[in-house]
Amino acid sequence: MKKLRKAVFPVAGLGTRFLPATKAIPKEMLTVVDRPLIQYAVEEAREAGIEQMIFVTSRGKDALEDHFDVAYELEATMTARGKPLDALDGTRFPPGAIVSVRQQQPLGLGHAVWCARDIVGDEPFAVLLPDDLMVGSPGCLAQMVEAYEKIGGNIVCAQEVPRERTASYGIVTPGAADGRLTEVKGLVEKPRPEDAPSTLGVVGRYILQPEIMPILAATGEGAGGEIQLTDGMAALIGRQPFHAVTFDGERHDCGDARGFVLANLALALKRDDLAGAVRAWLDRA
Ligand code: G1P
């Protein structure tokens, strides 16, 4: 079994749900407490042993690469002023550890992943959707890697979702279950509640085999008129092992303002330096 070394971060979206905040900055640079959303996903990947982060970007997303670069002027100035550089921990990567490729048209998540095919090459890879902020110890991808090292194949992260919300998720047709591991017998993107095969929803973490790439190249438009990763994955079922891992932790859907505000509160309440003040304010509000 090949070791998992690479991760794809689809970050090309326009972030229209967050306008006006995202008019001039990428959605993934919005901060939860004190770091941008993308940094949580990158730190999670690094914890899981990922060596190369592949950003699938678009025009106007340069800030994402800058964030993980060495900011020479900033560091030199801070050092000259005797300021420690630890506030920059988790953001300084050597050349080659963060690479990017552009998705030139917004054709969907499956297309975004396919755009990374040459960088991924012939090895398994992870996909992390930064909108899903996963809080757990070990982290979400690390939990999936632990399962992957035992069973191999393809793995999605899954979570029970309310039936009325199935149209927002990829939904699993579950097979045999063993603890947190469930065999995936089928996958369908955003079914209506009455059509959903279960309420086991896919959340934004995946470990996939490279054979998905030629499948995605041939995948036509699916739900919402987009090339869906779910449809490509569905075509792999039966050819390769496919499982879902239920995450032991908390997920915050930062795809809209509600989830984003709640993520800020939840993470602030976990911080010793902030929890007291935040809780006191909430109690008064
Ligand atoms: C994407 C996937 C969907 C998955 C979801 C998880 O949808 O297409 O299968 O369940 O992420 O967050 P999106 O939220 O981009 O519409």
Side-chain angles (χ1 to χ4, degrees):
M1 189 194 302
K2 282 192 188 162
K3 185 181 177 301
L4 187 72
R5 300 188 309 128
K6 302 189 181 191
V8 175
F9 299 75
V11 290
L14 291 172
T16 50
R17 266 182 282 177
F18 276 104
L19 286 169
T22 49
K23 187 176 173 194
I25 59 164
K27 174 180 72 172
E28 298 79 11
M29 289 302 293
L30 298 180
T31 49
V32 174
V33 185
D34 61 357
R35 65 198 61 193
L37 209 38
I38 184 70
Q39 193 176 329
Y40 290 94
V42 166
E43 285 179 359
E44 182 190 324
R46 198 145 73 154
E47 181 208 348
I50 299 294
E51 293 162 17
Q52 187 174 50
M53 320 283 165
I54 305 167
F55 291 174
V56 181
T57 67
S58 58
R59 282 152 44 80
K61 296 277 182 160
D62 295 350
L64 291 169
E65 283 162 80
D66 289 346
H67 185 72
F68 295 102
D69 195 1
V70 169
Y72 179 77
E73 308 84 333
L74 177 66
E75 293 186 16
T77 307
M78 288 171 76
T79 305
R81 291 179 185 167
K83 295 206 162 116
L85 295 181
D86 45 344
L88 298 172
D89 284 354
T91 69
R92 302 155 83 249
F93 282 77
I98 303 267
V99 297
S100 76
V101 61
R102 290 203 173 192
Q103 183 185 24
Q104 294 171 323
Q105 289 171 281
L107 298 180
L109 179 59
H111 177 257
V113 169
W114 174 81
C115 287
R117 67 199 177 283
D118 283 343
I119 310 177
V120 165
D122 189 26
E123 49 182 294
F125 62 101
V127 178
L128 295 95
L129 311 186
D131 271 3
D132 282 329
L133 202 171
M134 310 297 271
V135 183
S137 182
C140 183
L141 191 62
Q143 292 181 23
M144 293 169 69
V145 167
E146 194 189 324
Y148 176 71
E149 284 171 351
K150 290 190 197 124
I151 52 171
N154 301 275
I155 299 181
V156 292
C157 181
Q159 200 179 40
E160 283 295 329
V161 300
R163 185 160 282 271
E164 65 272 16
R165 300 272 297 135
T166 58
S168 299
Y169 295 93
I171 301 290
V172 173
T173 304
D178 176 12
R180 296 197 165 274
L181 207 61
T182 303
E183 193 190 345
V184 175
K185 294 254 188 204
L187 281 166
V188 53
E189 179 70 4
K190 302 195 167 85
R192 294 182 301 180
E194 58 272 32
D195 300 331
S198 77
T199 48
L200 191 59
V202 175
V203 293
R205 300 291 183 275
Y206 310 78
I207 295 174
L208 298 171
Q209 296 301 317
E211 288 76 18
I212 188 89
M213 292 300 191
I215 295 176
L216 289 173
T219 301
E221 287 178 10
E226 297 189 339
I227 298 172
Q228 295 292 353
L229 181 60
T230 300
D231 295 341
M233 293 190 302
L236 271 180
I237 298 168
R239 295 199 220 170
Q240 292 184 341
F242 216 120
H243 293 87
V245 167
T246 309
F247 172 50
D248 180 14
E250 229 174 76
R251 164 182 177 251
H252 296 285
D253 177 2
C254 294
D256 59 27
R258 176 182 172 277
F260 196 81
V261 170
L262 294 178
N264 267 287
L265 281 176
L267 270 67
L269 289 172
K270 287 188 201 299
R271 287 260 301 244
D272 293 342
D273 56 336
L274 300 173
V278 174
R279 200 174 290 286
W281 189 88
L282 287 172
D283 286 346
R284 285 196 311 272

